[in-house]
Amino acid sequence: MAQAESEMKMRILFAAKKLFARQGFDGTSVRQICEEAGANVALISYYFGGKEKVYRALFECFFPGQRMSQYEDLLKSPVEGLKLLISEIISFSMNDKELSSIIQQEMVMVSPRTELIVSFTGPVWKKARELLEQGREQSLFHFDSLDQALMMVVGVTLAHKKQNCYSGLLTDGPPKREETVESAVRFVLLALGADTAGTAPS
Amino acid sequence: MAQAESEMKMRILFAAKKLFARQGFDGTSVRQICEEAGANVALISYYFGGKEKVYRALFECFFPGQRMSQYEDLLKSPVEGLKLLISEIISFSMNDKELSSIIQQEMVMVSPRTELIVSFTGPVWKKARELLEQGREQSLFHFDSLDQALMMVVGVTLAHKKQNCYSGLLTDGPPKREETVESAVRFVLLALGADTAGTAPS
DNA sequence: GTCTATAACGGGATAGAC
DNA sequence: GTCTATCCCGTTATAGAC
């Protein structure tokens, strides 16, 4: 069932991911999805049971959930843990630009899908919050409000998603993954007052 | 014409702003807008000429465009200019949460409305970029990539928009405007290595 | 200026044939 | 498993009455 999961089903999922990312959930019709996938309209009902269910399936299929548990040791150090978290989130986000766009769309709306998004992404940011808190207790980080600090970290980590929109303002080409990760990590650590000798730019 | 601009027209605009912000452009029907406004469906065509035109009118009516020209003097100093810019953008964004949500929605999609968004918001970020560049030339700011630095500033400035979504992770109540501005400004200046004595948190 | 009524279309979903 | 044909609903837009 997990193996020969009907290639057609996957084709539909890939098509839906692509179209939802560009046009949003409401801006995409099941007919469009099926055309893109080379599938018949009826297959959406047959395989998933409706458009909303396709959306859910997207997350169950493509959202990397178990990755964090591999790094339990690193996540005990506030500085290293936060570095790792930012790096992993940006990597995921640049590897699967479509899914991350879908996530960001719902983050600014009030929709029946918001809850789903939060259930998948919330745990990751919860971990980030814990690391910030521990780092402050250990005097590794310096900030006033934990809430505010967390939101800043979220903002920096997801900042690169706006590059498509404002590409007209940028002079370098599309940035490499490593460059984006490094910039974000350094920006956050500097802002948090973490001592990270040797990482300051010239 | 600019004075007694038919109150009904304004009621429709306010209703549209509210609904577009929560449900997105495609997720909102003109019927819904008119019901919310207490107007008849036909008035959308009569006043604006269609749903898309209502969207445009929203920006022409509510987007604050001329504010920047008032501060020409302050905008000559990289540090003070950047502070002002961040402060103004966050203030606008918290005053009119709806319009700023509408803007952010389109920033992650590819839609016929993207161009409109960029034409209104682009100039502001262009100014931010210039300030960053000048600040680096004057050794006030320290960063490697101008592109990356700009995106980080954008990310921090707009970070507070995600508070609705992740309110479950936050312990303080909804943050005050001043607190948000101060956190963002300090975060950015620290990350850019700007010397701002006395602003470091305890 | 505001309304009703209707046109013209596209949406999601599925029954039933194959 | 896959398709066609159809249902039924909601959509935008507007003509024409008031």
Side-chain angles (χ1 to χ4, degrees):
Chain A
M1 191 199 278
Q3 167 203 3
E5 191 89 353
S6 172
E7 288 171 28
M8 191 44 118
K9 203 171 169 180
M10 289 306 291
R11 291 239 303 278
I12 291 174
L13 282 176
F14 278 111
K17 186 151 67 78
K18 173 175 173 180
L19 293 170
F20 286 160
R22 302 188 189 188
Q23 310 173 345
F25 181 82
D26 290 312
T28 303
S29 70
V30 296
R31 292 171 143 84
Q32 243 185 317
I33 294 170
C34 289
E35 192 185 9
E36 174 80 28
N40 185 280
V41 245
L43 293 182
I44 292 268
S45 285
Y46 179 73
Y47 280 126
F48 301 96
K51 188 180 168 184
E52 298 266 4
K53 305 280 186 60
V54 174
Y55 191 90
R56 286 197 84 85
L58 233 43
F59 282 82
E60 283 151 12
C61 183
F62 296 111
F63 191 89
Q66 72 303 350
R67 281 231 297 259
M68 251 176 31
S69 52
Q70 302 171 352
Y71 300 115
E72 276 190 24
D73 47 340
L74 267 177
L75 287 175
K76 284 174 185 164
S77 154
V79 174
E80 292 307 313
L82 196 62
K83 277 185 184 176
L84 178 70
L85 223 52
I86 294 173
S87 167
E88 285 290 303
I89 293 167
I90 293 178
S91 292
F92 150 70
S93 189
M94 293 184 84
N95 279 343
D96 196 341
K97 287 179 202 281
E98 293 170 351
L99 191 61
S100 76
S101 286
I102 292 170
I103 292 171
Q104 306 237 33
Q105 284 170 27
E106 301 299 326
M107 283 176 49
V108 294
M109 302 204 211
V110 181
S111 84
R113 303 171 292 283
T114 308
E115 191 192 15
L116 178 71
I117 301 291
V118 174
S119 76
F120 275 87
T121 62
V124 181
W125 297 120
K126 186 156 184 292
K127 188 66 199 168
R129 185 183 167 93
E130 289 165 13
L131 290 170
L132 284 172
E133 195 167 23
Q134 291 164 17
R136 179 161 66 168
E137 282 167 6
Q138 301 172 27
S139 291
L140 297 168
F141 300 147
H142 303 87
F143 52 83
D144 285 334
S145 158
L146 181 55
D147 283 0
Q148 291 289 337
L150 177 60
M151 293 318 295
M152 302 289 128
V153 171
V154 175
V156 171
T157 306
L158 303 181
H160 67 101
K161 287 260 75 180
K162 296 169 181 66
Q163 269 161 356
N164 300 322
C165 179
Y166 291 120
S167 57
L169 282 175
L170 307 183
T171 53
D172 311 346
K176 316 277 175 240
R177 186 180 64 85
E178 264 315 315
E179 187 192 352
T180 305
V181 168
E182 206 181 303
S183 294
V185 166
R186 185 188 296 156
F187 198 91
V188 165
L189 291 183
L190 280 171
L192 293 176
D195 292 328
T196 51
T199 59
S202 54
Chain B
M1 191 201 280
Q3 168 203 3
E5 190 90 352
S6 172
E7 287 170 28
M8 191 45 115
K9 202 171 167 179
M10 288 307 291
R11 292 239 303 279
I12 291 174
L13 281 176
F14 277 111
K17 186 150 67 78
K18 174 176 172 180
L19 293 170
F20 286 160
R22 302 188 189 189
Q23 310 172 345
F25 181 82
D26 291 311
T28 304
S29 70
V30 296
R31 289 161 136 81
Q32 246 184 314
I33 294 170
C34 289
E35 190 185 12
E36 175 81 27
N40 185 281
V41 245
L43 293 181
I44 292 268
S45 283
Y46 179 72
Y47 280 127
F48 302 96
K51 187 180 168 184
E52 298 265 5
K53 305 277 186 62
V54 174
Y55 191 90
R56 286 197 83 86
L58 233 45
F59 282 81
E60 283 150 12
C61 182
F62 296 110
F63 191 88
Q66 72 301 353
R67 281 231 298 262
M68 250 175 35
S69 51
Q70 302 170 353
Y71 301 115
E72 277 191 23
D73 48 340
L74 266 177
L75 287 176
K76 285 174 184 164
S77 154
V79 174
E80 292 307 314
L82 196 61
K83 277 186 183 176
L84 178 71
L85 221 53
I86 294 173
S87 168
E88 286 290 303
I89 292 167
I90 292 178
S91 292
F92 150 70
S93 190
M94 293 184 84
N95 280 343
D96 196 342
K97 287 178 202 283
E98 292 169 353
L99 191 60
S100 75
S101 286
I102 292 170
I103 292 170
Q104 305 237 33
Q105 283 170 29
E106 300 299 327
M107 282 175 50
V108 293
M109 301 205 213
V110 181
S111 83
R113 302 170 294 283
T114 308
E115 192 193 13
L116 179 71
I117 302 288
V118 174
S119 76
F120 275 88
T121 62
V124 181
W125 296 121
K126 187 156 184 290
K127 188 67 200 170
R129 185 182 166 95
E130 289 165 13
L131 291 169
L132 284 171
E133 195 166 23
Q134 290 163 19
R136 179 162 66 169
E137 282 167 7
Q138 300 171 28
S139 291
L140 298 167
F141 299 147
H142 304 88
F143 52 82
D144 284 333
S145 158
L146 181 55
D147 282 0
Q148 291 289 337
L150 177 61
M151 294 318 296
M152 302 287 127
V153 171
V154 174
V156 170
T157 306
L158 303 180
H160 67 101
K161 288 261 74 182
K162 296 169 181 65
Q163 268 161 355
N164 300 322
C165 178
Y166 292 120
S167 57
L169 281 176
L170 307 182
T171 53
D172 313 344
K176 316 277 176 239
R177 185 179 64 84
E178 263 316 314
E179 188 192 351
T180 304
V181 168
E182 207 181 302
S183 293
V185 167
R186 185 187 297 157
F187 199 91
V188 165
L189 292 183
L190 279 171
L192 292 176
D195 291 329
T196 52
T199 57
S202 53

